[in-house]
Amino acid sequence: MSRRGWSSWILTATILSLGTIQAAEQKSEIVVEVKYVVLAHDVAAQLKQMRLLGGSKTGKDIVYLSDREMRHLLEVLQSDVRSNVMQAPRITMLDGQNSTIECLDKQTISKGATVVQTDRGIALSALQETVELGVKLNLRSKISADRRSVRVELDTQMTNLGEDEPARFTIQMSKKSADGKAGSVVNIKQPRVEKIEVGRTLNIPDGKSAVLPAGMKICQVSERVCPECLKEIPLLRDLFYTTETHPEVHHLFVMVTPRIVAPREKQDKRTQKKSAKKVSTRPDCCDFRTPIYPPVSQCGEMDRAEPDRSRVLRAMGPPVAVRGIFETTRDDIHIVSERIVDKIDPPRFYPLVGPAQFHHCHWKCTVSCREIVTGSYPFAFRWSRPIVHVVYLDTDHLHSVASDTEPKK
């Protein structure tokens, strides 16, 4: 091949590789969160009545929850000590890419025994098997054409040893030896291996969580029991209690939450549009700066806009919290704004601004919400109460005036 042919071939390969890299960079990214939840039978029945879990009463196997419903579900699980939540690492993948997470531990268990012949005679050899215990997760995500949902192919496998007492089998080598002694007896424990597999293909709306059942298992639960006459006495009931173990049915659920990540360029443009729109409709985005509006005749609804929700919440101040002892959060926030002062001064000259009119605006904002206090010291507690705050805000601003108007000096 001539030098010209080699150079054209190299140029074509370079262009194809650059096109492949650009196509890969243009692919959208998806962030997937997977949680494994184990909860008791009564808690599962309660959540099914609240339509937070699928079942026979709801009429469908899989439910799709919003972020608010998901937070409510996790709050119910945190209030029950028997419930366990395990979250896999957050996975970020390209559109159509496969991803695998393995959290496994190898353990050797006995399956049985066999008789082998050695130099010293016949001996008993145990049959052992290596089992991988833990969680194995395979995911493949694909964004729909309208970018409103994600098609998730889920394949997960959970392997664990049973919590009940391992089964035992006895092997007697011989009935009696030559000197009349009893023969040797060998006891071998054989633990039970529990394996749960879930393989589903789900079409999940962007940002929502799919909750699907993965099976049931019987667990041994320990419970403290004390006599009825001593239940109300704090010290004596701790001295005379007994621990009882009984089987209980636990349910296993898998929660999958996919989120589409917008490309950085589109995301920057979107944030710029939002910020520009926010400046035009909410010019009071800076709490300590007086904005300048167009003339009063051109403002319209912009001049009558209520204070921004974020500004009202900032004026309330952060919730009270002591790190390590208790935390305070607010939920179900509802704001009612009422304008109590609306006055426009005549035109005058302002330095660095020019002729303008000063518009006095004074608002009374009534914030009703539910305050939730949670803590863990000296004991775990949770307390909620409805509260009402009244916040007064000044949204004073200037209106520019045409130059032909004679301002006051």
Side-chain angles (χ1 to χ4, degrees):
M1 186 180 293
S2 63
R3 183 180 298 176
R4 184 176 181 181
W6 276 107
S7 61
S8 61
W9 183 84
I10 293 172
L11 180 62
T12 305
T14 305
I15 293 173
L16 290 176
S17 61
L18 290 175
T20 305
I21 294 172
Q22 290 178 358
E25 290 179 352
Q26 292 177 358
K27 280 190 175 182
S28 300
E29 294 182 349
I30 309 169
V31 178
V32 183
E33 298 179 5
V34 181
K35 298 182 181 67
Y36 300 91
V37 179
V38 179
L39 63 158
H41 181 71
D42 54 344
V43 180
Q46 177 186 356
L47 293 175
K48 287 178 182 179
Q49 291 180 357
M50 300 168 62
R51 298 185 181 275
L52 297 178
L53 291 180
S56 58
K57 293 185 179 180
T58 58
K60 53 184 177 180
D61 190 19
I62 304 175
V63 295
Y64 300 94
L65 306 178
S66 61
D67 290 341
R68 184 173 183 178
E69 294 172 338
M70 193 70 180
R71 184 171 64 251
H72 185 37
L73 176 103
L74 294 177
E75 288 178 356
V76 174
L77 296 179
Q78 289 177 357
S79 61
D80 183 59
V81 295
R82 299 168 297 174
S83 302
N84 294 321
V85 180
M86 181 180 67
Q87 180 172 350
R90 183 180 298 179
I91 308 172
T92 303
M93 64 182 74
L94 295 176
D95 184 16
Q97 187 181 14
N98 295 329
S99 180
T100 303
I101 292 180
E102 294 184 356
C103 183
L104 302 175
D105 183 20
K106 294 183 179 181
Q107 188 170 349
T108 304
I109 62 174
S110 300
K111 290 183 61 179
T114 182
V115 179
V116 295
Q117 185 174 3
T118 60
D119 298 338
R120 297 181 179 181
I122 297 176
L124 191 65
S125 176
L127 295 177
Q128 295 181 345
E129 179 184 8
T130 302
V131 181
E132 293 182 345
L133 304 178
V135 179
K136 186 176 182 181
L137 174 64
N138 294 323
L139 284 174
R140 186 176 186 274
S141 303
K142 181 69 178 176
I143 302 176
S144 62
D146 56 357
R147 298 183 63 86
R148 293 185 178 180
S149 62
V150 180
R151 186 172 181 268
V152 180
E153 298 179 4
L154 174 68
D155 184 13
T156 181
Q157 178 180 340
M158 290 153 282
T159 309
N160 197 3
L161 296 179
E163 297 182 0
D164 52 353
E165 184 68 20
R168 298 186 181 187
F169 54 93
T170 304
I171 299 178
Q172 187 172 1
M173 301 296 295
S174 60
K175 293 184 179 180
K176 285 186 179 181
S177 58
D179 54 358
K181 295 182 179 180
S184 59
V185 177
V186 179
N187 293 324
I188 299 178
K189 294 183 179 180
Q190 186 178 13
R192 181 170 56 89
V193 179
E194 297 178 350
K195 183 181 292 186
I196 298 177
E197 297 180 355
V198 179
R200 301 290 291 268
T201 300
L202 308 170
N203 289 322
I204 308 173
D206 182 24
K208 287 199 172 183
S209 302
V211 184
L212 63 152
M216 297 184 298
K217 64 177 184 178
I218 300 177
C219 301
Q220 300 294 329
V221 179
S222 299
E223 185 178 1
R224 298 175 59 177
V225 179
C226 65
E228 294 290 338
C229 59
L230 301 177
K231 280 187 177 181
E232 303 298 332
I233 305 176
L235 296 178
L236 292 179
R237 68 185 179 188
D238 295 335
L239 296 175
F240 295 95
Y241 77 91
T242 58
T243 303
E244 295 183 358
T245 304
H246 59 88
E248 188 176 65
V249 178
H250 284 192
H251 298 261
L252 177 63
F253 290 87
V254 180
M255 303 178 181
V256 185
T257 308
R259 301 182 189 275
I260 301 175
V261 181
R264 184 172 299 175
E265 296 180 358
K266 294 183 179 180
Q267 191 173 5
D268 294 342
K269 292 180 180 179
R270 195 175 303 170
T271 52
Q272 290 176 4
K273 289 182 180 178
K274 286 184 178 180
S275 60
K277 185 177 180 182
K278 186 174 182 180
V279 170
S280 61
T281 58
R282 295 286 190 272
D284 53 348
C285 59
C286 184
D287 298 343
F288 306 101
R289 188 174 295 176
T290 303
I292 303 173
Y293 285 11
V296 180
S297 59
Q298 301 179 9
C299 282
E301 295 182 358
M302 182 176 61
D303 196 19
R304 304 182 183 91
E306 298 178 355
D308 191 16
R309 179 185 177 91
S310 59
R311 182 175 179 181
V312 176
L313 296 179
R314 287 196 301 269
M316 288 178 57
V320 180
V322 177
R323 188 174 181 181
I325 298 179
F326 71 91
E327 295 181 357
T328 306
T329 57
R330 297 170 182 150
D331 197 2
D332 297 335
I333 301 175
H334 183 64
I335 301 175
V336 177
S337 301
E338 179 185 0
R339 185 184 297 192
I340 57 179
V341 175
D342 186 6
K343 180 183 176 182
I344 301 178
D345 293 344
R348 58 168 297 177
F349 183 83
Y350 292 89
L352 303 178
V353 176
Q357 287 180 282
F358 193 80
H359 192 171
H360 301 268
C361 292
H362 196 62
W363 292 85
K364 175 184 177 182
C365 303
T366 305
V367 184
S368 58
C369 61
R370 180 169 293 276
E371 192 175 55
I372 303 173
V373 181
T374 57
S376 58
Y377 181 83
F379 51 84
F381 64 91
R382 179 185 175 87
W383 175 51
S384 64
R385 62 168 183 173
I387 60 174
V388 177
H389 282 274
V390 178
V391 179
Y392 293 94
L393 292 177
D394 291 327
T395 59
D396 300 338
H397 52 272
L398 294 173
H399 288 281
S400 59
V401 179
S403 59
D404 55 355
T405 307
E406 295 183 0
K408 292 183 179 181
K409 295 184 180 181

